[in-house]
Amino acid sequence: MLGKTAGGLYWMFRFLERAENTARLVEAGFRIALTRSSDSASEWKSVVTTAGVRNGYMEKYDSFAGPTVIDYLLRDTANPSSVMSVIENARMNARLVRTVLTTEVWEAVNENWMTLKEALRRPIRETELPGILGTIRQQSALVRGAMHGTMMRNDIFDFAQIGTALERADNTARIIDVKYYTLLPSASFVGSPLDNVQWETILRSVSAHRSFRWLNQDDMNSSNIADFLILDSRFPRSLSFCSRNLDENLGFLAKDYGVRMPCNDLVERQRDKLRAHTIGSIFDEGLHQFIGAFIRDNNAIGMQIEQDYRFNG
Amino acid sequence: MTEKRQHFDEMLLDGDGVRQPYDAYQEWFFNEDPTRLTKKSKEAEAFFRRTGITFNVYGQEEAQERLIPFDLIPRIISNREWTRLSKGIEQRVRAINAFLHDIYHRQEILRAGVVPPHLIAQNDAFLPQMIGMSPPGGVYTHIVGTDIVRTGENEFFVLEDNARTPSGVSYMLENRETMLQMFPELFSQNKVQPVSDYPKNLRRSLAACAPAGCNGKPTVAVLTPGIHNSAYFEHSFLADQMGVELVEGHDLRVVDGRIAMRTTQGYQNIDVLYRRVDDDFLDPLNFNPDSMLGVPGIMDVYRAGGITIANAPGTGISDDKAIYSYMPEIVEFYTGEKAILKNVQTWRCSEPEALQYVLDNLSELVVKEVHGSGGYGMLVGPAASKKEIASFAVKLKKNPSNYIAQPTLSLSTVPIFVKKGLSPRHVDLRPFVLVSPKEVKITPGGLTRVALKAGSLVVNSSQGGGTKDTWVLED
């Protein structure tokens, strides 16, 4: 496969994952704003921060109101991470690598783009927002379904999975990073109503509020939540799950090509580190430091992959 | 359908009824419910959008990707008509290859005084880098898209030879797929010669032209200028259909005297490059130094026999419209036979008498740039305003040798489907020809382009033209 094609696949799936994650962040923010309106401005602020676009947003607006945040994160093509921008990018990369996609996958991506372009053409009214967020989720599900149902399990599939896993790990880590203080087991916070709001937001941002409840019943506390998001390898958005996924797919590539690359070592180190920890030892080391280091490692793995498989020459 | 038409219609006869190739089709058509056809027409458009069969229009930010409108009435050609046409095309394509070999070698045709030497020597499309160079297998024009127009029952003319990088073949293939999906019953009622082998034949034909040093299965790749090129869809479509890599200049470099592409596992050699990049941009070291689209040094590898470039650099000279005007003589010179297909009468504005005639008759003529393509920069006299004609005359007088003129042909029409039923529109035809050392292969039919505006003669997709599926019947 061409290095450029591998890069195109990797980025196509990073962008698709990003679109879904951004939509989920907006959904969580919207839900909190509706149900706990007293603190909605600071909630929207942390949504913008988590999406990693705070500077761009501040250049354009000077307060964090729901409608402007929603517009910026979903529609604004001046925001390179808005859903519209990343779906454009995903499709552009899909066009670039079209020869390695099945017709079904290409059509799903193209239809995703056409549907969202239409849905996000005009500013979004509050009444339409749930429907639009649903559309975004549904469209990504269609792409993923086409992908899993029709693509060969070869290096093409591996690069797609690698992009997805890397982006997803980054997203979950950033959610924890922005709200790490609400997950600290310091006595003064535990069980306060404020905590409950924050915890709910975190869980909703990764669509885990239901599964978490099923697993933990009434036992909602910071340590359980942090454990779930970081170390629970059953949860498909946990750092541990993503890291395993990345490791496996890079492993398939190494086996397929018959060469082990530096990125294989990097991801193995990351996975070992996660395996060696308990949530208690993470808190001892410092949650913030731990997450910061994870994000840096994750980026480094991404850059190593680009180099090892010659995405850019 | 009682009004007297001025143009030859390929379907509808002047009185009642249809021409013979349309017999079976018309029976089907007149039993169809027009509202169902309208619905089908919308379905076809949605299908094209979803599959992304689009082209980019330069300089139109808003509509970056546009659809080429598809008309669901097929253009039908009888086997007898096709046999004659394809013979004529093959003859012409063989002559063009012989001509290209000759002008880059001994230049017999110039010595014989058939073509004036200045048309070659002073032509930008003539590449000195190709002098004395013989492309692998002796093939210059691996892919040709001869533009043909019709003016009567037995009147066919070649309008352009398109020996450089003809586009549109993806539409020919997708139009047929669309018709098969929408109206499968038509294909059991009519025996239509298939076109779907084109990608397989293209790959074989290209592989057959691999350089002598290539042992084993040749590696073929398609070179595209990139995702923003107007024909990018076609480039990726063809690569996909052939099962070969789609590369851009920055994926390639010279490695040990070969052209190699950067893969996830290192550099891999390419034997045959089907390039959709113009000569000028092919190699910044040998041609336009600012080109970012090409591969530095590819011409040196080519000259040393390390790679096949399809079509060969320098074939553009045979697309020159002044050279075109000599094509009947060129065909006769190399084949010893009279040209089967007619040329359109052409006035070379470089010649003072011709220029005077053209200036006196601008309102009746079509004037084209000698290197022009895509319908840009031309004047269609009968459709132009007085002002347009006057300003074109100024351009023409300033640089006469840049232009040729032709009579406005009364192009044949084929009806398109409109709300009220059928309405005649002018068409042309671009059959696609594959040339390998062993054979010349022509896909039955080709791309029919249709001017969607009533009365218009401009069929180019960049100027609002559409396309039709083109059928060649079995018997």
Side-chain angles (χ1 to χ4, degrees), chain A residues 1-6 91-92 95-96 98-99 106-107 110-111 113-114 159 257 308-313, chain B residues 49-52 54 56 65 227 232-233 236 239-240 244-248 250-251 261-266:
Chain A
M1 187 188 339
L2 291 178
K4 175 189 69 190
T5 307
R91 178 178 180 269
M92 202 182 79
R95 284 188 79 203
L96 196 69
R98 193 168 159 178
T99 52
W106 157 253
E107 285 186 9
N110 196 33
E111 208 152 344
W113 173 76
M114 288 193 293
F159 281 112
Y257 292 169
D308 288 351
Y309 293 107
R310 303 173 172 86
F311 289 1
N312 309 305
Chain B
R49 274 226 186 273
R50 202 174 58 238
T51 29
T54 56
N56 305 342
E65 287 170 36
I227 195 162
Y232 178 78
F233 162 72
S236 74
D240 189 24
V244 305
E245 295 290 359
L246 177 66
V247 298
E248 292 176 44
H250 57 79
D251 295 316
M261 56 185 165
R262 192 182 74 248
T263 77
T264 50
Q265 301 174 78

Side-chain angles (χ1 to χ4, degrees), chain A residues 49-98:
Chain A
T49 311
T50 311
V53 293
R54 190 154 156 193
N55 291 343
Y57 182 87
M58 295 302 286
E59 271 169 35
K60 207 163 168 178
Y61 305 105
D62 41 36
S63 70
F64 291 92
T68 52
V69 172
I70 291 166
D71 195 80
Y72 192 71
L73 289 182
L74 298 186
R75 297 182 61 239
D76 198 338
T77 44
N79 168 13
S81 290
S82 73
V83 168
M84 199 62 243
S85 298
V86 295
I87 289 296
E88 291 262 17
N89 280 330
R91 178 178 180 269
M92 202 182 79
N93 278 286
R95 284 188 79 203
L96 196 69
V97 303
R98 193 168 159 178

Side-chain angles (χ1 to χ4, degrees), chain A:
Chain A
M1 187 188 339
L2 291 178
K4 175 189 69 190
T5 307
L9 278 164
Y10 167 89
W11 280 109
M12 171 186 166
F13 280 88
R14 280 199 77 155
F15 284 129
L16 285 169
E17 179 68 23
R18 193 174 297 175
E20 208 184 326
N21 292 337
T22 303
R24 210 176 270 118
L25 279 177
V26 170
E27 194 155 23
F30 185 59
R31 164 98 198 172
I32 300 302
L34 287 182
T35 53
R36 334 247 169 171
S37 54
S38 60
D39 206 23
S40 70
S42 83
E43 210 42 64
W44 283 122
K45 183 172 160 186
S46 77
V47 165
V48 171
T49 311
T50 311
V53 293
R54 190 154 156 193
N55 291 343
Y57 182 87
M58 295 302 286
E59 271 169 35
K60 207 163 168 178
Y61 305 105
D62 41 36
S63 70
F64 291 92
T68 52
V69 172
I70 291 166
D71 195 80
Y72 192 71
L73 289 182
L74 298 186
R75 297 182 61 239
D76 198 338
T77 44
N79 168 13
S81 290
S82 73
V83 168
M84 199 62 243
S85 298
V86 295
I87 289 296
E88 291 262 17
N89 280 330
R91 178 178 180 269
M92 202 182 79
N93 278 286
R95 284 188 79 203
L96 196 69
V97 303
R98 193 168 159 178
T99 52
V100 298
L101 299 176
T102 57
T103 312
E104 283 91 336
V105 172
W106 157 253
E107 285 186 9
V109 175
N110 196 33
E111 208 152 344
N112 186 353
W113 173 76
M114 288 193 293
T115 308
L116 293 188
K117 216 172 155 77
E118 180 57 32
L120 298 174
R121 200 159 46 96
R122 281 170 289 110
I124 300 159
R125 286 192 312 248
E126 204 173 51
T127 49
E128 300 166 333
L129 184 64
I132 288 176
L133 292 171
T135 305
I136 297 171
R137 250 198 334 253
Q138 194 179 17
Q139 289 295 328
S140 331
L142 289 173
V143 177
R144 198 172 315 118
M147 176 78 192
H148 282 264
T150 65
M151 294 287 289
M152 297 262 291
R153 297 311 194 256
N154 54 13
D155 49 350
I156 299 170
F157 196 81
D158 298 336
F159 281 112
Q161 294 285 86
I162 287 164
T164 306
L166 212 83
E167 180 71 24
R168 188 178 289 179
D170 181 63
N171 180 65
T172 303
R174 271 187 298 114
I175 289 172
I176 304 172
D177 193 42
V178 170
K179 296 216 171 219
Y180 79 95
Y181 55 90
T182 71
L183 292 172
L184 295 176
S186 56
S188 60
F189 273 116
V190 177
S192 73
L194 176 66
D195 267 351
N196 281 323
V197 178
Q198 298 293 354
W199 292 345
E200 190 187 331
T201 325
I202 293 174
L203 290 170
R204 278 185 184 279
S205 313
V206 289
S207 297
H209 47 295
R210 283 197 71 239
S211 36
F212 181 82
R213 218 179 302 133
W214 272 95
L215 285 170
N216 294 277
Q217 278 86 37
D218 269 346
D219 203 9
M220 195 189 252
N221 65 50
S222 60
S223 163
N224 280 346
I225 294 173
D227 185 43
F228 185 66
L229 295 178
I230 299 170
L231 296 175
D232 195 326
S233 54
R234 292 168 299 181
F235 172 53
R237 301 190 167 270
S238 73
L239 303 189
S240 172
F241 181 96
C242 296
S243 182
R244 185 182 69 194
N245 208 293
L246 196 56
D247 187 24
E248 279 172 3
N249 281 289
L250 285 171
F252 295 148
L253 274 183
K255 204 173 146 206
D256 193 9
Y257 292 169
V259 194
R260 212 182 139 79
M261 291 297 203
C263 63
N264 292 105
D265 296 335
L266 284 187
V267 73
E268 204 171 272
R269 214 174 302 153
Q270 185 199 55
R271 204 178 158 189
D272 287 344
K273 201 160 140 192
L274 284 167
R275 271 199 285 228
H277 271 291
T278 63
I279 197 63
S281 67
I282 290 174
F283 280 132
D284 288 345
E285 185 184 317
L287 177 62
H288 197 216
Q289 288 77 357
F290 180 86
I291 293 298
F294 180 90
I295 293 174
R296 280 192 300 279
D297 289 350
N298 202 52
N299 283 337
I301 294 171
M303 281 177 329
Q304 192 63 47
I305 294 169
E306 289 189 27
Q307 217 176 34
D308 288 351
Y309 293 107
R310 303 173 172 86
F311 289 1
N312 309 305

